[in-house]
Amino acid sequence: MCGIVGYTGKRPVVDILLDGLEQLEYRGYDSSGVALKCSESIKVYKAEGKLKNLREELAPHAYELTKSTSGIGHIRWATHGSPTVVNAHPHTCNCGNLVIVHNGIIENYKELRAELEAKGCKFKSQTDTETVAHLVASIYGEVRNLTKAVQLATKKLEGAYALCIMHNDEPGVIVATKRNAPLIIGVGENEFYIASDVPAFIKHTKKAIYLNDNQVATVTPDALKLEDENGMIISPKVEQLPWEPVALSKMGYKHFMLKEIHEQPDVIRNILVGKLHTSDTPIVLDEVKLTKQTLKDLNRIQIIACGTSLHAAMVGKYIIEGFCGIPVDVEASSEYIYRKTVTDAHTLVIGVSQSGETADTLTAIKQSKSRGSHILIITNRPDSAMAREADSLVPVSAGIEVSVAATKSYVAQLTSFYLLALYMAEVKGTMEQAELTALKAEMLILPQKIEQILAHKDEIQRCARKYSNTRDFIYIARGINYPTALEGALKLKEISYINATGYPAGELKHGPIAMLDETMPVLSILMKGSVYEKLLSNSEEAKARNARMVALTNSTDPKLDDLFDFIIRVPEVNELLSPIIAVIPLQLIAYYIAEFLGKDVDQPRNLAKSVTVE
Ligand code: G6P
């Protein structure tokens, strides 16, 4: 959340910064800005809203700015202060000689601000970041060395930060440092890049240095110096990035989200390659470093995640408990980290994260690691901070997901959970061979089943149109599809801003039923299996209160025709695998409703794809 880009070298900096920021738009898009070292001074340009507004702001100055070859840029997701030009980064000290961009939250900014105001600093914005600008500048006044000033200033900061800082008296110098927020240095020929994430510079260089917490890097076009917070020199570890620049294209689809929904059959196929060969051969998960003995010694599993990943985790609990007989707890990372959690060497802790850098999940992982638990990470970013903490790493290989609303990364996480649960069941010998074989056989044909759903998307689009004028939407399910109800509701909320809620259907009569009347759509995820009849009764109860009933089902039972106003049919599927099938129409319903309402589907308001603040 918030993206940082910096460059110092011999080439004009403006386009390098703007192109880099465009690659980081997934981290926030409510305002943006750049600071450019020009001959006499550092010039700052900012704009509210999307990056195109900053491009427009800079366009009239294009010629005069071509001489500038060092600068820093920022794309913001507001935490402190509304998304206005004044609050946009870069921030400056009073004289404008020092500029700073920041990702994270400075928790003690109020105290620091009061001290700095008492010394005469005049604040312009409501941000926590401006405090750091004044703090570093005031120390710079004494030490006259930017690196030293940053080292001294960061000792006073509490919270999380990735920072890039320039001073007008040190042309070509950028100082970068971080704590609990990502920052990577791209190493070029007589040039350095600094960014929150690799896509910002991958088209220029594949050599990179991942900064560790509290390290301070000072870059000029010709040199990089890496130190710890006390000035001790550290030898930088330059890594070769296994990345190719990707030209992000919608491939003819109207939005990235629709394209990504359509990629899901191939995502599953890619994950299964090398891991699940046939229904008769054991699952291969070389990435899992749990020995047979450690697996047997485990007495509990905790899965921690946020957002859509939390819903994948809930399905994970259902199948790991069902297949392996190990008790599993699932918890939102933000709740996990502020209580006394019981975890030890006999606990397996699984972190699930598309981005691998969600602040709450990362903190939770670090906490449980310090207590001796084996850490298994399921992530789409094997190069992320979370992956670096992992004892076992299960990459979900969904490819880059551009749309802020997660779709293919969710299905990829689910697929990885099935592989993991089946693998553990095989090692522990907790499942009947026949059941294992049947599930594996069906996993191999899931991609075709999703393709069948996508081939009939017009029907789902019709359903979406019919319900697009609603203000509220209720999703009900039971058992393994309760998380699917939550995920379907979350998708709709995220991109259409309709108030959608998922409930375990048995809970309907304990309160939510009071909201039902002829205006309320209730979508029932009615998959054949152990809870089908129970859910049918719950749907009857909703119908009796005149709710507008929609079914998502793989049943051909004719009595559904009387009960439901609209029926979306999906292919037959084993109940245990049905969350992968059932979520696809829900993603499409959310997509088509948002599209019909004219919403910004790929970049919904107030959201970011990567949440690096707690
Ligand atoms: C944000 C994104 C969600 C995502 C959640 C967790 O809120 O908008 O799509 O599910 O973060 O992110 P993670 O990267 O940890 O899966």
Side-chain angles (χ1 to χ4, degrees), residues 306-309 352-356 358 404 406 413 494 608-609 611:
C306 304
T308 290
S309 300
V352 193
S353 174
Q354 175 274 128
S355 65
T358 302
V404 166
Q413 287 167 348
E494 284 180 311
K609 190 151 191 69
V611 179

Side-chain angles (χ1 to χ4, degrees), residues 535-606:
L535 186 54
L536 206 53
S537 308
N538 299 135
S539 306
E540 295 276 8
E541 290 156 13
K543 172 84 173 172
R545 273 79 190 175
N546 297 324
R548 302 164 74 191
M549 301 301 295
V550 185
L552 169 60
T553 186
N554 54 359
S555 160
T556 48
D557 183 351
K559 56 174 189 284
L560 302 189
D561 295 337
D562 297 330
L563 180 50
F564 292 98
D565 310 321
F566 206 108
I567 301 181
I568 298 167
R569 295 204 199 268
V570 293
E572 282 279 342
V573 61
N574 183 314
E575 182 186 17
L576 291 170
L577 292 171
S578 62
I580 291 188
I581 294 298
V583 78
I584 311 291
L586 301 186
Q587 295 168 342
L588 286 167
I589 288 178
Y591 172 78
Y592 284 123
I593 290 182
E595 194 250 349
F596 184 65
L597 295 175
K599 303 295 184 202
D600 189 346
V601 172
D602 287 331
Q603 293 188 334
R605 70 183 184 201
N606 303 341

Side-chain angles (χ1 to χ4, degrees), residues 1 305-310 352-359 361 379 386 401 403-406 409 413 487 490-491 494 607-611:
M1 146 162 294
C306 304
T308 290
S309 300
L310 183 62
V352 193
S353 174
Q354 175 274 128
S355 65
E357 63 172 338
T358 302
T361 310
T379 183
M386 244 178 260
E401 190 175 59
S403 164
V404 166
S409 63
Q413 287 167 348
E487 177 59 11
L490 180 65
K491 282 293 90 75
E494 284 180 311
L607 297 181
K609 190 151 191 69
S610 173
V611 179

